[in-house]
Amino acid sequence: MAKRQGYDGVVVAAPVSVPYERYSIETAHWWIARALRGSLQAAGLKPAEIDGFTVSSFTLFPDTAVGLTQHLGLCPRWLDHIPMGGASGVIALRRAARAVQAGDADIVACVAGDTNHIDSFRSLLSSFSRFASDASYPYGYGGPNANFALLTDRYMQDFNATREDFGRICVAQRDNALRNPNAVMKKPLTLDDYLNARPIADPIALYDCVMPCAGAEAFLVMREDEATRRNLPFARIKGTIERHNAHASDPIQLRGGWTLDVDDLYDMAGCAPTDMDLVQTYDDYPVISMMQIEDLGFCEKGGAPEFLRNRDMTVTGDFPHNTNGGQLSAGQAGAAGGFIGLVEAIRQVTGMAEGTQVADARRALVSGFGMINYDRGVCSSAAILEGAA
């Protein structure tokens, strides 16, 4: 197997989040356009100056990235559409970086966004995949709650995790979200609130589940000299990985594709888990955050409950985690859920995170997880970013 090549000379800049809304009458196109405009304005660019474009969205149908080029008046020489849900942000980053590195594009805009009409979520679940259409939704098993209830129950049995362990993640993220003016969840959350919440799918209760909403996220990938010339704060890409359909023979998913490539990730970055100043995991349910913390080398498999019991996951703590509140408290704007942690990490390592800023943050690890095709998520990704200072 060929040695992975680094991303020398390529950086990421101009992170933008369009404030989320619980419901919206606008289209996904509108949300994506707002994010793109925000990122271009942050960089002082005109639409004609970007020559690469990548899009992730669940509610863009019947359009794809191709249709958006005409809708938005773009004329890129490099284009990608990444329908990989929670893994999309890192995958967009790594593909855009390779395009810039190869000279196929100079500046790539990476955007994700979705709308949330009153009936959007039900419509999405009914046609999420062929598996969903044929083998789960017709029997009332649509959506991820039931899948993650089974996964959470098995995790609790195998590793002696408790609901309090999951609750600590949710409570810490709510604390972080209260520092984020754009978070959907505005009320403090206590561990008692979490434990006494109404059940959804045993052992999952209300605060274990993300809140679907509308919103968009974006960032730009370009050469370092371009960012320097434009006086843009930027982050260097120290390492990235992605993997699909890993461990397919496991009877239930208690590990992800990160386990196959995590050594490469740290080798590329020239650092270790202990060198991270903050961690942004994909968090549609807290058990998935535990899986990522384990599979990305912060502790052994099954060790996340004990690991986290001894750590403070808030912005001012010793293990800052999902510093903007994550999806569990900031909201899940469809495919933008795969971008929210990455956009926040860019802000953190460039010192632009304002109320959620981790003191002296220089390195961040971001991981993605997505596409519950039937009984498990089939896409995983991770990246390590480093501030230029």
Side-chain angles (χ1 to χ4, degrees), residues 61-278:
F61 182 85
D63 283 325
T64 64
V66 175
L68 274 180
T69 62
Q70 186 175 30
H71 188 84
L72 301 176
L74 304 176
C75 187
R77 60 190 178 113
W78 183 90
L79 184 69
D80 203 0
H81 185 90
I82 303 178
M84 300 182 196
S88 295
V90 170
I91 292 172
L93 170 70
R94 69 197 308 263
R95 294 185 181 182
R98 293 303 186 201
V100 171
Q101 198 172 43
D104 290 335
D106 290 320
I107 302 175
V108 180
C110 301
V111 190
D114 275 295
T115 192
N116 190 40
H117 300 158
I118 294 297
D119 200 39
S120 288
F121 195 62
R122 185 202 62 80
S123 298
L124 174 64
L125 296 182
S126 67
S127 58
F128 190 75
S129 68
R130 180 55 61 187
F131 278 128
S133 298
D134 291 350
S136 59
Y137 189 79
Y139 302 97
Y141 199 80
N145 286 335
N147 294 92
F148 282 97
L150 292 172
L151 193 162
T152 301
D153 184 67
R154 179 63 175 269
Y155 187 96
M156 293 172 73
Q157 291 183 43
D158 285 6
F159 303 129
N160 296 316
T162 66
R163 289 201 65 233
E164 287 85 350
D165 292 323
F166 299 123
R168 289 186 190 94
I169 294 175
C170 300
V171 170
Q173 290 190 196
R174 182 63 60 86
D175 184 86
N176 291 340
L178 296 177
R179 302 166 180 263
N180 174 9
N182 293 329
V184 172
M185 303 299 186
K186 303 293 188 183
K187 295 180 180 179
L189 178 70
T190 67
L191 190 57
D192 282 344
D193 293 333
Y194 170 88
L195 293 172
N196 294 320
R198 72 178 164 87
I200 300 296
D202 188 46
I204 284 174
L206 181 63
Y207 298 114
D208 292 296
C209 309
V210 292
M211 177 69 76
C213 57
E217 307 275 345
F219 56 84
L220 302 178
V221 178
M222 63 187 73
R223 295 187 307 276
E224 184 169 334
D225 58 2
E226 182 76 23
T228 301
R229 183 173 69 83
R230 294 182 176 277
N231 199 30
L232 292 176
F234 62 82
R236 296 189 175 103
I237 307 162
K238 302 304 291 183
T240 72
I241 54 174
E242 71 176 270
R243 182 68 69 157
H244 307 280
N245 198 33
H247 309 302
S249 62
D250 287 2
I252 192 164
Q253 187 174 38
L254 294 178
R255 56 180 176 165
W258 311 281
T259 58
L260 301 177
D261 304 289
V262 65
D263 290 342
D264 278 358
L265 177 66
Y266 291 119
D267 285 346
M268 285 185 75
C271 57
T274 51
D275 296 316
M276 298 302 113
D277 297 310
L278 63 134

